[in-house]
Amino acid sequence: TLAAPVFSVAPGDYNNPLTVSLSADSGAFIRYTTDGSVPTARSNGSDYTGPLSVVDVLNLRARAFKWGRSPSDSAIGIFSLVPAPPTFSVTPGTYTSEILVGLTTATSAAELRYTLD
């Protein structure tokens, strides 16, 4: 039996977009799905040809195949883009005059929204 494919980064939550690469035993090809279904050699899944982008949530399931060998078990991972919390340009508190407050986040592609209530 082939070894399950290996992810280049651990499944989990990340603050910035990333790419996930897959590797497998020598001479094996990898098929993957993003809907949780089990990849098969021919009918279900996509051929892995290069890194996959994570820009929201990527539910990745991958298997390795090689003619004349039993397919691998599935490698399963959920990769999520979770924006870093915003930071304020001034310390929260009570002020006696008008101030300007800026918001930033460490997440490069994040869109910040706010309310005043």
Side-chain angles (χ1 to χ4, degrees), residues 88 103 112-117:
F88 296 92
L103 292 171
L112 294 173
R113 295 181 183 206
Y114 65 93
T115 64
L116 299 175
D117 56 359

Side-chain angles (χ1 to χ4, degrees), residues 7-75:
F7 302 128
S8 61
V9 295
D13 297 335
Y14 292 87
N15 294 129
N16 283 298
L18 70 142
T19 57
V20 178
S21 297
L22 301 170
S23 58
D25 289 343
S26 179
F29 67 94
I30 301 171
R31 291 187 54 83
Y32 70 93
T33 61
T34 57
D35 64 3
S37 62
V38 178
T40 60
R42 292 193 179 102
S43 63
N44 189 34
S46 299
D47 291 328
Y48 174 74
T49 58
L52 303 168
S53 295
V54 179
V55 293
D56 188 14
V57 175
L58 177 63
N59 182 4
L60 186 57
R61 187 169 189 157
R63 291 176 75 197
F65 300 90
K66 186 174 182 179
W67 305 118
R69 302 266 311 266
S70 297
S72 73
D73 289 334
S74 292

